[in-house]
Amino acid sequence: MRDLLVSAAFELFTEYGYDGTTIDDIVHRAGVGRRSFFRYFPTKEEVVFPDHERALAEMIGFLEEGAQDPDPVGRACAAARLVMRMYAEKAEFSVKRYALTRKVPALKTHETSVVRRYERALASYLRRRFATLQDGELRACTIAASVVAAHNYGLRAWLSSGAGGDASIVVDQALDLVHRTWGDKAETMIMVARTDTPAWQIIQQLNTLREGGTGYRFA
């Protein structure tokens, strides 16, 4: 039923334009009642983005599974690739939606709100992972925004080309840049101390550096 409504909607959008198509037109073309439409889509805008709820749920689940991943930035980038896969699985539909969204301001606004939900999910995951760092909040929000921007850059390049070639190539390049920029850059620190320095004093100094979020890795 969901696919039937989406197919009918896009046929009408092509024939009469988005603004020239009503929900009544869509259900009439699909041969169903209005109640069936609202069972799946609360608004006409939602019928243009039928797959994002599932993609967002999959991404959140993937992030939750990576709660102990030693590379949280890499995990966030991999989560964005899941969303890219959703677009690639229905390339023709993705291109049609991209063209329609570029023409209709209301859809562009709705798309922005959808993208923001992905960014919030990424930031929430990274915020938990960076909770012990002094700049954890800033780092989480900045990296989440970077991941989304990189994904969208690659996605739009692919859609602008008519979905020609491998969808993941440009996205991977952009996300790899984010990973290299924000990934684990911890440095190994060699501490020099007198042989008679008490062990508790060395540990105390190391803990002070760790709590200060210096970025050093301690073995």
Side-chain angles (χ1 to χ4, degrees), residues 183-209:
D184 185 6
K185 293 175 147 186
E187 299 174 5
T188 301
M189 183 182 71
I190 299 175
M191 182 175 178
V192 179
R194 290 171 53 92
T195 56
D196 59 351
T197 301
W200 67 265
Q201 193 174 79
I202 295 175
I203 292 173
Q204 184 182 62
Q205 292 179 22
L206 291 175
N207 284 334
T208 299
L209 289 171

Side-chain angles (χ1 to χ4, degrees), residues 93-200:
F93 174 74
S94 296
V95 171
K96 288 181 180 178
R97 173 169 55 193
Y98 179 71
L100 183 64
T101 304
R102 302 281 73 72
K103 297 176 184 177
V104 182
L107 293 180
K108 183 63 178 176
T109 299
H110 187 80
E111 182 185 52
T112 300
S113 70
V114 171
V115 170
R116 181 63 183 139
R117 292 177 67 191
Y118 286 113
E119 185 176 329
R120 284 199 297 267
L122 290 167
S124 178
Y125 165 74
L126 292 169
R127 193 177 290 113
R128 293 192 298 271
R129 298 304 309 275
F130 299 143
T132 60
L133 300 180
Q134 286 184 337
D135 62 349
E137 174 73 16
L138 172 62
R139 188 178 293 259
C141 293
T142 301
I143 295 174
S146 299
V147 170
V148 169
H151 170 272
N152 289 346
Y153 172 82
L155 172 64
R156 288 165 185 160
W158 177 68
L159 292 173
S160 297
S161 72
D166 188 343
S168 65
I169 293 177
V170 180
V171 172
D172 282 343
Q173 291 175 342
L175 289 173
D176 286 346
L177 176 60
V178 173
H179 193 202
R180 291 195 305 272
T181 302
W182 294 105
D184 185 6
K185 293 175 147 186
E187 299 174 5
T188 301
M189 183 182 71
I190 299 175
M191 182 175 178
V192 179
R194 290 171 53 92
T195 56
D196 59 351
T197 301
W200 67 265

